[in-house]
Amino acid sequence: MARYRCPTPLPDIAVGAAAYDGPTMTAFTLFETAIGTCAVAWSGAGLCRVSLPGRTADQVRAAMAGRFGADAEQPPPAQVALAVAEIVRLLAGEPADLSEIALDPAGVPDFNRQVYAVTRAIPPGRTLTYGEVASQVGQPGAARAVGRALGDNPYPIVVPCHRVLAAGGALHGFSAYGGLATKRRMLQIEGALAPDEPTLF
């Protein structure tokens, strides 16, 4: 697996964060990908949540409705539709650019924002370890804190926490449905992990 070093200065996780058109209330939509039904929620500032697949599409819908309200399921405005299209392409193994997708960082602690900025800069097919991310945010030795921040990541795929591995390249710590199997599949789709490559976990 190819390692990557984030450029300095760190990019802002909210890069591209021009206001989204449409209602100012938070809304969400579901969409199909190569790994299952995903969802995104957005505010006027950008995406505020990305949901990886659950056991079923109904489970994903229920989780989003429980957080944002059943009436919040809406057709996406143009900017969100473009973001969804890029996510779909990425998960199909096609070239995609998620770097300009606007993110709403409201409520995200400063340390987490730094972790997400480093993580967001890792390109498809590359990986970092938790310790390497910690070093790049200027806190070597904070690998566990990085792991906790990525566990709280509200924007998986766009902030690709699946590209961050444990020491030695081991797969570790993925809370989405399917756990490490989902993480492994995403890395394989991106070419960071060969289909038949053994993993340590």
Side-chain angles (χ1 to χ4, degrees), residues 54-130:
R55 188 178 299 273
T56 65
D58 286 344
Q59 184 182 58
V60 175
R61 175 174 285 109
M64 297 297 277
R67 179 178 293 271
F68 301 111
D71 292 342
E73 185 171 5
Q74 301 288 335
Q79 298 98 318
V80 176
L82 288 172
V84 165
E86 290 298 316
I87 292 170
V88 170
R89 278 194 283 270
L90 180 76
L91 294 176
E94 300 173 5
D97 182 7
L98 278 57
S99 64
E100 293 298 318
I101 295 175
L103 299 178
D104 182 351
V108 177
D110 183 66
F111 176 77
N112 292 32
R113 291 191 191 197
Q114 295 179 59
V115 169
Y116 301 161
V118 170
T119 303
R120 191 174 190 187
I122 306 170
R126 303 289 189 92
T127 62
L128 289 175
T129 65
Y130 296 104

Side-chain angles (χ1 to χ4, degrees), residues 111-112 115-116 130 133-134 139 141-152:
F111 176 77
N112 292 32
V115 169
Y116 301 161
Y130 296 104
V133 174
Q139 297 198 38
R144 290 186 179 180
V146 167
R148 287 192 293 271
L150 292 175
D152 291 337

